[in-house]
């Protein structure tokens, strides 16, 4: 079910994402957010009207730097450029020397290929037989390698074309996709390709998905309260959307050792994030806001089961009262084990490794909120999930609903 009742926080984040994304269009941002283009445009124009900002002034274009008209300054610039090129040439010469000295450490298959190429390059000067003897390669193997030159060249051309297609998909994913998700995306676009070949080409052209970061446990146990039964027993699957939900809190590191915190509500059927809230605290209000958003997203949580760890926020009386108000049955895993909330732990790990590639923090709070908001909405609408057969959560739910309608007909 589409989100109809959008919170003020969601609207503000959507406008901020559009205004701060260079070259963004209403269509592209709205597609990531899973909303109507006209709806986003209305929010943006309303916000600009509130701020008294005109459309032209809202997103000014960058002015090109003027070239220096001073001849002496121009000479200094050229001299600096020459010095830079000379330094680059010295660096390249050093690298060539290093590669020559390191050639004997190449893998044996690369050594043999290099020897065959050497024979072919110098056959007009020396006898092939003599060259093979000196280089210690089999002459028949050389001729077999030579006969396959056209086929190898054709494979290389095909691999280059495939690499461009892979790089396009990889870039669209923000550099997050590995070979399984890249293969699924290519197949959906009509490209019949084997995952092993995709993995090989990605290795050859140094295209890699983002790898897992070391997980940091942040759960703060709450004081003992009335016991809540574990209704999941580590079964994080569901037969229908809206039946079983999971929730958790994770920290979002900022510069200077500060943090924001993210609370999420995940549907076990499709792994869709149906509710979330970002704040500078981990009070009960944070998880309560995420659950209320989930209720608006789904229309109702009546009869659903919500599973969490034993954090103080989830064990509070206020949260228990909210669950009772929304007709949600609570479930909790064992104390001190992340395995009982593994799906949420995995989701938060994916979020951080894909939004913090090679960095330790998001910078300031505004950048953090914008980055995480953009990733969360794209996660639901476009990001392929291995648990869904490499379909996005929204696509997986649409396919499920379509199958039910077909059966009913």
């Amino acid at each position: 079910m589409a989100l109809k009742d959008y919170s003020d926080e969601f609207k503000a984040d959507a406008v901020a994402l559009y205004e701060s994304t260079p070259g963004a269009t209403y269509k592209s941002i709205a597609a990531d957010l899973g909303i109507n283009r006209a709806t986003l445009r209305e929010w943006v124009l309303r916000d600009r009207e509130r701020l008294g900002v005109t459309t032209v002034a809202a997103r000014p274009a960058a002015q090109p730097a003027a070239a220096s008209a001073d001849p002496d300054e121009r000479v200094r610039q050229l001299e600096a450029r020459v010095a830079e090129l000379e330094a680059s040439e010295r660096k390249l010469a050093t690298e060539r020397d290093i590669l020559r000295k390191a050639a004997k450490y190449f893998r044996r298959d690369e050594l043999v290929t290099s020897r065959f190429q050497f024979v072919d390059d110098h056959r007009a000067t020396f006898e092939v037989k003599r060259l093979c003897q000196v280089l210690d390669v089999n002459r028949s193997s050389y001729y077999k390698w030579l006969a396959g030159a056209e086929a190898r060249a054709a494979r290389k051309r095909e691999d280059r074309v495939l690499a461009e297609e892979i790089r396009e998909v990889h870039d669209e994913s923000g550099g997050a996709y590995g070979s399984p998700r890249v293969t699924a995306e290519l197949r959906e676009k009509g490209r019949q390709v084997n995952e092993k070949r995709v993995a090989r080409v990605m290795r050859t052209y140094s295209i890699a998905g983002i790898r897992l970061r070391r997980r940091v446990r942040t759960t703060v146990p709450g004081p003992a309260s009335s016991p809540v039964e574990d209704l999941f027993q580590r079964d994080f699957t569901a037969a229908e959307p809206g039946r079983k939900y999971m929730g958790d809190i994770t920290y979002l590191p900022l510069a200077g050792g500060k943090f924001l915190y993210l609370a999420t509500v995940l549907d076990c059927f499709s792994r869709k994030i149906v509710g979330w809230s970002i704040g500078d605290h981990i009070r009960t209000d944070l998880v309560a806001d995420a659950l209320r958003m989930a209720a608006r997203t789904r229309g109702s949580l009546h009869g659903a089961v919500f599973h969490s760890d034993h954090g103080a926020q989830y064990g509070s009386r206020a949260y228990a009262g909210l669950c009772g108000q929304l007709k949600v049955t609570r479930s909790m895993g064992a104390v001190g084990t992340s395995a009982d909330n593994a799906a949420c732990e995995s989701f938060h790990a994916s979020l951080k490794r894909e939004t913090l590639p090679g960095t330790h923090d998001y910078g300031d709070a505004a950048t953090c909120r914008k980055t995480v908001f953009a990733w969360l909405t794209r996660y639901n609408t476009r990001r392929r999930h291995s648990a869904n057969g490499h379909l996005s959560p929204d696509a997986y739910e649409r396919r499920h609903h379509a199958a039910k309608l077909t059966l009913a007909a």
Side-chain angles (χ1 to χ4, degrees):
M1 178 184 293
L3 178 62
K4 299 296 184 183
D5 183 15
Y6 300 100
S7 66
D8 291 339
E9 180 183 2
F10 185 96
K11 294 177 184 178
D13 286 339
V15 171
L17 176 63
Y18 172 79
E19 295 286 23
S20 62
T21 304
T25 62
Y26 289 121
K27 182 178 180 181
S28 64
I29 297 297
D32 282 347
L33 301 181
I35 63 177
N36 186 275
R37 172 189 175 279
T39 300
L40 176 62
R41 182 175 182 274
E42 179 184 350
W43 294 346
V44 172
L45 295 180
R46 188 183 303 163
D47 188 70
R48 289 177 180 175
E49 183 179 355
R50 178 180 63 82
L51 298 173
V53 179
T54 63
T55 303
V56 174
R59 306 174 74 183
Q63 296 297 324
S68 174
D70 184 358
D72 291 336
E73 176 62 24
R74 182 59 178 163
V75 169
R76 283 194 292 272
Q77 291 176 352
L78 291 173
E79 289 175 344
R81 180 57 178 161
V82 169
E84 181 183 345
L85 292 174
E86 288 176 346
S88 178
E89 184 178 0
R90 287 194 297 272
K91 179 182 177 183
L92 290 173
T94 302
E95 290 176 349
R96 285 195 297 269
D97 290 338
I98 293 173
L99 287 173
R100 290 191 188 101
K101 294 176 181 179
K104 64 181 179 180
Y105 298 104
F106 290 165
R107 296 198 308 268
R108 175 148 186 85
D109 58 339
E110 292 177 343
L111 270 175
V112 170
T113 302
S114 299
R115 291 172 184 176
F116 286 160
Q117 189 64 58
F118 185 87
V119 171
D120 198 50
D121 290 342
H122 296 80
R123 59 187 300 182
T125 306
F126 305 99
E127 275 188 328
V128 170
K129 179 180 179 181
R130 182 59 180 159
L131 286 168
C132 290
Q133 287 174 343
V134 171
L135 296 176
D136 192 26
V137 295
N138 190 292
R139 192 162 29 137
S140 62
S141 298
Y142 160 71
Y143 284 118
K144 184 177 179 180
W145 173 86
L146 190 63
E150 186 175 342
R152 286 195 305 277
R155 282 197 299 272
K156 285 184 178 179
R157 288 193 297 270
E158 292 170 359
D159 284 351
R160 281 196 296 270
V161 173
L162 179 58
E164 289 304 313
E165 298 176 15
I166 290 173
R167 200 179 300 280
E168 182 179 349
V169 171
H170 188 257
D171 290 344
E172 288 175 355
S173 74
Y177 282 4
S179 58
R181 289 189 175 94
V182 169
T183 303
E185 188 75 30
L186 290 173
R187 286 174 178 171
E188 186 168 293
K189 293 182 177 181
R191 184 73 143 94
Q192 297 301 315
V193 64
N194 185 282
E195 183 184 330
K196 290 183 178 179
R197 184 185 176 199
V198 171
R200 175 178 59 79
V201 172
M202 290 181 71
R203 284 194 304 271
T204 301
Y205 287 84
S206 300
I207 306 172
I210 301 173
R211 299 184 181 276
L212 281 169
R213 290 171 167 261
R214 182 168 174 257
R215 184 177 57 81
V216 179
R217 183 167 176 263
T218 57
T219 300
V220 179
S225 59
S226 55
V228 177
E229 185 181 354
D230 183 356
L231 302 178
F232 271 34
Q233 296 298 318
R234 300 188 181 180
D235 178 9
F236 308 122
T237 62
E240 295 279 342
R243 298 280 185 84
K244 295 168 65 176
Y245 297 100
M246 300 184 69
D248 200 2
I249 302 173
T250 192
Y251 74 100
L252 304 172
L254 306 179
K258 298 181 180 179
F259 299 95
L260 289 182
Y261 300 92
L262 169 69
T264 51
V265 179
L266 178 149
D267 191 308
C268 291
F269 174 75
S270 62
R271 298 298 196 269
K272 179 173 181 173
I273 299 300
V274 295
W276 70 81
S277 182
I278 302 174
D280 58 1
H281 62 85
I282 52 173
R283 297 189 295 272
T284 300
D285 288 346
L286 187 72
V287 296
D289 287 344
L291 193 65
R292 291 190 186 99
M293 179 180 176
R296 291 195 301 270
T297 302
R298 290 305 197 193
S300 172
L301 300 180
H302 187 95
V305 177
F306 177 82
H307 184 83
S308 70
D309 58 26
H310 279 262
Q313 304 82 1
Y314 295 110
S316 68
R317 291 181 180 177
Y319 196 76
L322 177 62
C323 288
Q325 179 185 339
L326 297 175
K327 308 299 182 185
V328 174
T329 301
R330 290 192 300 158
S331 169
M332 285 187 175
V335 177
T337 173
S338 61
D340 288 346
N341 209 24
C344 279
E345 296 278 352
S346 176
F347 169 78
H348 288 152
S350 296
L351 182 153
K352 289 181 182 178
R353 75 170 180 267
E354 294 182 17
T355 56
L356 288 172
T359 59
H360 298 288
D361 61 69
Y362 293 96
D364 57 43
T367 300
C368 174
R369 179 179 287 274
K370 181 191 71 173
T371 301
V372 173
F373 174 78
W375 190 89
L376 286 170
T377 51
R378 186 180 179 87
Y379 168 89
N380 282 337
T381 59
R382 295 192 177 186
R383 185 184 180 278
R384 296 178 181 276
H385 201 298
S386 57
N388 297 340
H390 293 299
L391 293 176
S392 70
D394 280 354
Y396 190 67
E397 290 193 1
R398 285 196 299 269
R399 187 177 73 173
H400 172 77
H401 292 314
K404 285 186 65 176
L405 291 174
T406 301
L407 290 174

